[in-house]
Amino acid sequence: MARVARSTVTARVLDVLGAFGTDAPVLTLTEISRRTGLPLTTTHRLVGELAAWGALERADSGEYRIGLRLWEVGALAPRGMGLRERAMPYLEDLHEVTRHNVQLAVLDGAEVVYVERLSAHDAVSIRSGPGSRLPATATGVGLALLAHAEPGLVERVLAAPVRRFTERTVTDPAALRHLLGEVRRTGVAISVQQIELVSQSVGTPVRDAAGVVAALSIVVPVEANPHAYVPAVLAAARGISRALR
């Protein structure tokens, strides 16, 4: 669905960059124009300027993708850079021990943004990857973060429509509220088949000196016993939390 084109040059540039996503990592000029609601001539000019600076790259096919220059700038974001560097040894240890998908994410409104993911070639397939977003209500990391978020944000999330991914996705506000209560009580969020029917995740918060800043999770096949991974996930989160403090 096309967006309503905004008036300022900065807003239009941001709309062009925002047209790309995990569902559309490569786009033609026409597709960018349609997704932003901008005229094709305006899109052509803005895309050309962004490509010249390095924010976009043009493939041999004529399509565009996000450029390395933008990735370099994005890597400077404090919530991603310092967090990822301090967390990486513990993520690697957890991945080495379990050989499953290990993820680190932060909360951004009603969504989680994945900062890092480690995966083995034979691990269960998942939708998330570094830089991708998913609704906080359906993921292990999201539930762990929402359980410790400001009450006002939690109420806004529960009052809004919840996206359904599978028949197991929890969409009822009362059920979600109960899940968040369980996370606060146990310190662990277990999300079963909410994103993919083949998988489940075990998540827990990561804290710095001020409070919860991120969440860590492991994604395992649905036939696995998620509780078996809780000690390892908690140990990794405690290690990251100590490093952040």
Side-chain angles (χ1 to χ4, degrees), residues 142-225:
L143 292 170
L145 287 164
L146 271 184
H148 300 280
E150 295 180 358
L153 172 61
V154 175
E155 293 306 315
R156 289 194 297 274
V157 171
L158 294 180
V162 176
R163 179 180 174 187
R164 181 180 294 277
F165 291 87
T166 73
E167 60 264 31
R168 296 293 303 277
T169 304
V170 180
T171 60
D172 177 64
L176 285 170
R177 198 180 299 278
H178 175 75
L179 279 177
L180 297 179
E182 284 297 297
V183 175
R184 286 188 290 270
R185 184 180 67 82
T186 64
V188 177
I190 297 179
S191 175
V192 182
Q193 296 181 296
Q194 290 212 65
I195 298 293
E196 301 274 6
L197 290 175
V198 297
S199 63
Q200 55 187 328
S201 61
V202 180
T204 194
V206 170
R207 295 173 169 85
D208 65 6
V212 173
V213 292
L216 163 73
S217 75
I218 183 171
V219 182
V220 300
V222 69
E223 59 269 17
N225 174 11

Side-chain angles (χ1 to χ4, degrees), residues 43-144:
T43 303
H44 184 272
R45 175 175 58 82
L46 293 176
V47 166
E49 293 175 358
L50 287 167
W53 186 76
L56 295 179
E57 295 177 352
R58 189 173 187 271
D60 293 338
S61 62
E63 296 173 313
Y64 290 87
R65 57 178 174 249
I66 295 296
L68 283 177
R69 184 75 179 276
L70 194 62
W71 180 85
E72 291 170 357
V73 173
L76 298 175
R79 280 209 293 170
M81 182 177 61
L83 173 64
R84 181 184 177 278
E85 289 176 354
R86 288 170 175 78
M88 204 62 183
Y90 303 95
L91 299 178
E92 290 174 340
D93 286 348
L94 182 59
H95 177 253
E96 184 65 28
V97 168
T98 64
R99 304 307 298 170
H100 289 299
N101 298 292
V102 175
Q103 305 177 120
L104 185 70
V106 296
L107 188 64
D108 186 22
E111 298 177 314
V112 291
V113 178
Y114 290 88
V115 176
E116 185 56 86
R117 186 192 82 182
L118 300 179
S119 180
H121 74 277
D122 56 347
V124 65
S125 62
I126 56 177
R127 295 194 184 201
S128 59
S132 65
R133 293 171 174 264
L134 282 173
T137 52
T139 62
V141 285
L143 292 170

